[in-house]
Every structure is written in structure tokens, then in C-alpha cells.
Amino acid sequence: MTVGDWRKTFKQLKVRPAKLKKYMKHNAPKKRTCGRTTKRCESCGRFDGMISKYGLGLCRICFREMAPKIGFKKYS
Ligand SMILES: [Zn+2]
């Protein structure tokens, strides 16, 4: 299981709210204060290749697409 899809485990338990509550109590991941999972791309939700310089909060792929619109210029 990867970082982002822990919610997928609740699919079967949605019909049983009491069991879902118990499952959430014991199996929900703890809130992170540091590490790569704290930063997430604002447009696609990716964890990898984050660019937080200039307060962008985008991954490298989204930045590549949005860069000309924001005003970045490619020199090479
Ligand atoms: Zn992205």
C-alpha cells in the first residue's frame, strides 16, 4: 500500500459504520509533522518532486506545465 491510498481500505467497511469507526480508531495513520508526506502538490496531489521554492507548492510535472503561465522563462 502506498502513502496516499489508505482510504481505499474503507471501501468494504462503508456498509458497516460501527466497524468502520472501530477500524478508524486503531488503523488510521498518525498525523505527520515532518517528512515528505507533509508536502503535497496543490494541483495533482503527488508527493514526489516537490518544488516549494518561492512558495509554489507544486510538483515538477505541474510546474513544467504552469511555468510559462506564471511567468518563468526557460533559458536553455
Ligand atoms: Zn502536481
Side-chain angles (χ1 to χ4, degrees), residues 19-73:
K19 282 206 171 183
L20 177 67
K21 200 177 175 186
K22 189 180 175 185
Y23 189 86
M24 276 289 287
K25 187 184 170 187
H26 295 287
N27 295 297
K30 62 181 179 182
K31 296 286 178 203
R32 303 280 173 177
T33 52
C34 61
R36 64 190 301 185
T37 56
T38 53
K39 284 185 273 179
R40 193 166 197 171
C41 179
E42 285 168 15
S43 67
C44 71
R46 202 184 300 259
F47 290 108
D48 313 305
M50 286 295 300
I51 300 164
S52 21
K53 200 172 185 179
Y54 312 116
L56 285 170
L58 296 167
C59 70
R60 62 180 183 85
I61 295 127
C62 294
F63 175 72
R64 227 181 120 102
E65 292 165 2
M66 289 183 192
K69 293 175 198 167
I70 303 167
F72 284 91
K73 200 175 174 182

